[in-house]
Amino acid sequence: MPKKIALNIYVLLGLALLLGSCGVSRSLKDLPDVSTYETKLPPRQQLSDSTYRLGTNFLTKNPQGLYELYVSGNPYELGLKTGSLTQELFREQERVFVEKIDELVPSKGKQKMLRKFLAWFNRKMYKNIDEQYKAEIYGISQYASKDYDRIAAPYPRVMYFHGAHDIGHALQDLALVGCSSFAAWGPHTKDGKLIIGRNFDFYAGDDFAKNKIIAFVAPDQGHKFMSVSWGGMIGVVSGMNDQGLTVTINAGKSKFPLVAKTPISLVTREILQYASSIDEAIAIAKKREVFVSESIFVGSAKDKKAALIEVSPHNFGVYEVENDNQLVCSNHFQSDAYTDDKKNQKHIFESHSKYRYERMEELLEDTPKVTPESAVSILRNKDGLEDKLIGYGNEKALNQMLAHHGIVFQPEDLLVWVSSNPYQLGEFVAYDLKEVFGTADQNQKARPISSPDRTIAPDPFLRTLAYRHYERYRKLRRQITEAMVSEEEIEPALWTEFIAVNPDFWEVYFLKGKYYYKNRNYKEALDAFEKAKTKEVTTVPDKEAIDTYIKKLKRKLK
């Protein structure tokens, strides 16, 4: 992912945490009333360095490095139990964010200005969050690190943390995520059952994705469900409930909002907890006011199909296919409600969303009978249209080599597969929700609850020279971009190696061109930009930037 995007993600996530006194005091006055909830928590027992038990609830780390969390109870209990069991992971997640924020926004004056703006922007968020989720957030916040109370009190800090995705999306409309999702059913799958695959390509640094939590939640009201999460998070970005209803989110193009409302991850959490069909999911989404544009990809065992709920602050649409038996979604809207939406049309033209959409269609056409294994292969695909080599890390690829996670659902059998590190390349660990929710409360040993016999093997790509080259490329990229920021000299040999380990990626030549342009070596810069133009450039603005440099350089070299 381009460094400018990763940096902006950290800054905007920082904004979500750096709350001003106005926002903090308002949220503290709105503390949820948890007095009605019974909470008799036993002390947490540590069974190993990565396994904890709290009565019949537990957290453990499986052999693939994924944390498996099981919690049950009322909203406040869910928060307290989650906070207690995952407190080390939660505090580590906060540390990662805050340290990066301090690094990227070192100015105390700028932090003060941002705090004031975010206090104003978030002033009504608390009014748009359901009381049960406030109680759960309040429970988790009891285990937040005291080291960051200087930023904000724990409860508002955790609440606004849930709007970080939306805030980053809303304030600068960045391509924070380039998520890709698809579903196939009927004649398009081997057994006729619905299969859904999705990559969550949210990148906020390697440490952010290090400790993934597969949460299995048994609330005292609504449906039991699983979701892929991280410390401090109760919202849902990818999940399935015990009714075979699945939800995932794909960011769309947004207008700038004037106020934060319901974070999208809490809308999808409500859908997962209380809906069992597409119609019920639509009804829940309709009653919530959001402040960003998002496609909610819903799969349903009861309906035996998938649909898109496309929400934005001022519009709402539903997109379903009639006879095709497959549904594809990237990061643009498809329903009639957005046919004349100029922002959506511009996004289709300028971004890499349409390219990934067409690539999914292409791969599904080459896979006439989708299985969970072939769905994983699609999610792992690193090439461009017609199998073109477009460089590793290109955002036009389905596998951009930066995903937080990939996931595959088979709702009618309540089966789910979740990727393990690195990226989507490690094993896809299988879980059977019938087994998990049927036996978890009796699981006193807090052992891993995956289904090893269904696990999908790692990508063979991990054993190749190309993979080692990609890892070397990432290290060199950090080294080179840091040197460019600090205006240090970069030896020609370093550029040669940088290009050699990822020769099909346009950005390696673009960075080289920028470096030599700034250092007034115009001939070398022009050669690099012209080479970049021959590659699969990610977006129209990127292409325009290359063309602008080339025009300037040709004038200078006359």
Side-chain angles (χ1 to χ4, degrees):
M1 165 171 283
K3 185 177 181 180
K4 63 180 181 181
I5 293 178
L7 183 148
N8 282 327
I9 289 172
Y10 274 117
V11 171
L12 292 169
L13 287 172
L15 297 180
L17 296 172
L18 296 170
L19 307 176
S21 58
C22 177
V24 171
S25 61
R26 182 182 293 115
S27 294
L28 287 176
K29 290 177 183 177
D30 186 57
L31 290 176
D33 180 8
V34 297
S35 62
T36 58
Y37 296 116
E38 291 187 12
T39 52
K40 297 178 181 178
L41 296 189
R44 185 181 76 160
Q45 294 178 282
Q46 183 170 356
L47 306 183
S48 72
D49 61 349
S50 59
T51 300
Y52 300 89
R53 188 173 68 200
L54 194 66
T56 58
N57 296 186
F58 60 86
L59 173 78
T60 189
K61 192 174 185 180
N62 69 23
Q64 293 84 4
L66 301 174
Y67 284 91
E68 297 173 352
L69 171 71
Y70 178 85
V71 289
S72 61
N74 62 52
Y76 188 41
E77 277 184 314
L78 292 178
L80 289 172
K81 290 176 177 179
T82 299
S84 176
L85 288 166
T86 67
Q87 57 190 274
E88 289 80 11
L89 300 178
F90 179 19
R91 291 169 184 171
E92 173 65 11
Q93 209 78 15
E94 279 202 288
R95 183 194 66 78
V96 167
F97 282 133
V98 175
E99 288 187 2
K100 197 68 176 181
I101 294 158
D102 288 342
E103 175 188 334
L104 295 172
V105 192
S107 167
K108 299 301 181 184
K110 288 182 179 179
Q111 288 186 7
K112 183 177 180 180
M113 177 183 67
L114 296 177
R115 285 198 300 269
K116 289 182 177 180
F117 173 75
L118 261 293
W120 173 83
F121 184 75
N122 284 323
R123 66 193 183 277
K124 292 185 180 180
M125 182 187 285
Y126 74 99
K127 293 183 177 180
N128 291 274
I129 297 178
D130 194 276
E131 291 300 319
Q132 64 184 314
Y133 301 130
K134 288 182 187 177
E136 191 169 341
I137 289 170
Y138 184 67
I140 284 184
S141 72
Q142 306 307 299
Y143 295 89
S145 173
K146 295 187 181 300
D147 295 341
Y148 308 117
D149 287 354
R150 58 184 169 81
I151 295 173
Y155 172 61
R157 198 165 82 226
V158 179
M159 177 187 289
Y160 290 117
F161 181 80
H162 282 77
H165 163 90
D166 311 66
I167 289 167
H169 188 178
L171 291 181
Q172 290 194 11
D173 204 12
L174 296 169
L176 301 189
V177 286
C179 303
S180 303
S181 309
F182 63 86
W185 61 93
H188 287 298
T189 62
K190 187 174 181 180
D191 57 9
K193 294 179 179 178
L194 174 63
I195 292 178
I196 298 164
R198 126 14 168 266
N199 283 334
F200 183 59
D201 290 314
F202 180 87
Y203 182 76
D206 292 343
D207 287 344
F208 176 81
K210 185 178 179 182
N211 297 316
K212 286 183 270 290
I213 298 172
I214 317 303
F216 298 90
V217 182
D220 64 353
Q221 293 184 358
H223 306 302
K224 300 175 182 178
F225 64 91
M226 65 76 58
S227 74
V228 184
S229 187
W230 50 84
M233 176 70 163
I234 73 162
V236 172
V237 296
S238 301
M240 180 168 67
N241 68 23
D242 60 4
Q243 304 299 299
L245 188 97
T246 71
V247 292
T248 63
I249 55 175
N250 288 49
K253 197 72 170 176
S254 288
K255 292 182 180 179
F256 182 82
L258 297 177
V259 64
K261 294 192 176 179
T262 310
I264 194 68
S265 69
L266 294 180
V267 176
T268 47
R269 162 66 187 270
E270 186 175 0
I271 289 172
L272 206 59
Q273 188 172 346
Y274 291 102
S276 63
S277 68
I278 292 171
D279 285 344
E280 290 175 3
I282 292 170
I284 291 171
K286 272 186 175 178
K287 71 179 183 180
R288 296 299 177 196
E289 288 190 82
V290 298
F291 61 104
V292 294
S293 299
E294 204 88 20
S295 292
I296 303 174
F297 196 110
V298 180
S300 169
K302 287 186 177 180
D303 298 302
K304 301 184 186 301
K305 64 178 182 179
L308 292 173
I309 305 172
E310 298 177 337
V311 300
S312 67
H314 306 292
N315 206 350
F316 187 95
V318 176
Y319 179 73
E320 297 185 70
V321 292
E322 300 211 354
N323 301 309
D324 195 21
N325 296 111
Q326 69 179 36
L327 181 64
V328 174
C329 177
S330 48
N331 296 103
H332 61 268
F333 293 139
Q334 303 175 57
S335 67
D336 291 341
Y338 294 87
T339 299
D340 300 322
D341 188 299
K342 292 181 180 179
K343 269 190 169 286
N344 188 49
Q345 293 304 317
K346 183 181 179 183
H347 188 56
I348 292 171
F349 174 71
E350 290 188 346
S351 75
H352 45 76
S353 180
K354 186 171 183 288
Y355 190 97
R356 285 181 289 107
Y357 183 97
E358 292 174 350
R359 181 56 173 162
M360 280 186 280
E361 288 189 316
E362 191 175 77
L363 291 170
L364 285 168
E365 186 175 347
D366 293 339
T367 313
K369 298 291 184 181
V370 177
T371 64
E373 290 77 12
S374 62
V376 167
S377 294
I378 292 172
L379 296 178
R380 286 173 171 169
N381 191 276
K382 308 159 197 69
D383 300 330
L385 288 169
E386 298 180 348
D387 299 327
K388 178 181 178 180
L389 298 177
I390 60 175
Y392 298 120
N394 194 319
E395 292 175 32
K396 282 187 169 180
L398 298 185
N399 182 2
Q400 300 171 20
M401 306 286 279
L402 53 76
H404 181 272
H405 64 266
I407 191 166
V408 171
F409 302 102
Q410 192 165 307
E412 290 159 83
D413 293 327
L414 294 182
L415 294 173
V416 57
W417 290 260
V418 182
S419 67
S420 57
N421 289 335
Y423 323 118
Q424 305 100 307
L425 303 177
E427 288 182 310
F428 269 67
V429 181
Y431 297 94
D432 183 336
L433 265 59
K434 297 186 299 294
E435 293 183 5
V436 172
F437 289 121
T439 62
D441 273 335
Q442 289 77 46
N443 187 355
Q444 297 292 330
K445 296 182 179 179
R447 58 176 176 76
I449 51 178
S450 61
S451 300
D453 56 321
R454 291 192 175 98
T455 294
I456 296 173
D459 192 333
F461 179 71
L462 284 172
R463 300 192 295 271
T464 66
L465 179 62
Y467 173 72
R468 295 197 294 276
H469 278 174
Y470 175 69
E471 290 294 283
R472 177 61 178 160
Y473 153 78
R474 296 185 80 226
K475 291 179 181 178
L476 290 173
R477 192 187 187 288
R478 285 192 290 270
Q479 181 180 342
I480 284 171
T481 52
E482 288 170 4
M484 290 174 68
V485 169
S486 58
E487 299 185 345
E488 297 174 15
E489 182 180 357
I490 301 173
E491 295 293 331
L494 195 61
W495 285 114
T496 300
E497 184 185 5
F498 184 52
I499 290 170
V501 292
N502 204 356
D504 298 307
F505 192 24
W506 71 276
E507 198 193 39
V508 296
Y509 306 99
F510 182 73
L511 289 173
K512 181 181 178 182
K514 285 179 66 176
Y515 171 79
Y516 280 111
Y517 180 85
K518 189 170 185 179
N519 287 277
R520 300 186 179 184
N521 187 338
Y522 298 137
K523 177 64 172 65
E524 196 76 39
L526 180 61
D527 289 344
F529 284 124
E530 288 184 330
K531 185 68 172 179
K533 194 172 180 180
T534 68
K535 302 299 179 180
E536 191 62 60
V537 182
T538 305
T539 67
V540 169
D542 289 329
K543 292 176 183 177
E544 291 173 346
I546 293 171
D547 286 338
T548 299
Y549 273 115
I550 289 174
K551 287 177 183 177
K552 288 180 180 178
L553 287 163
K554 286 184 175 179
R555 286 198 299 268
K556 290 178 181 294
L557 289 169
K558 279 185 178 180

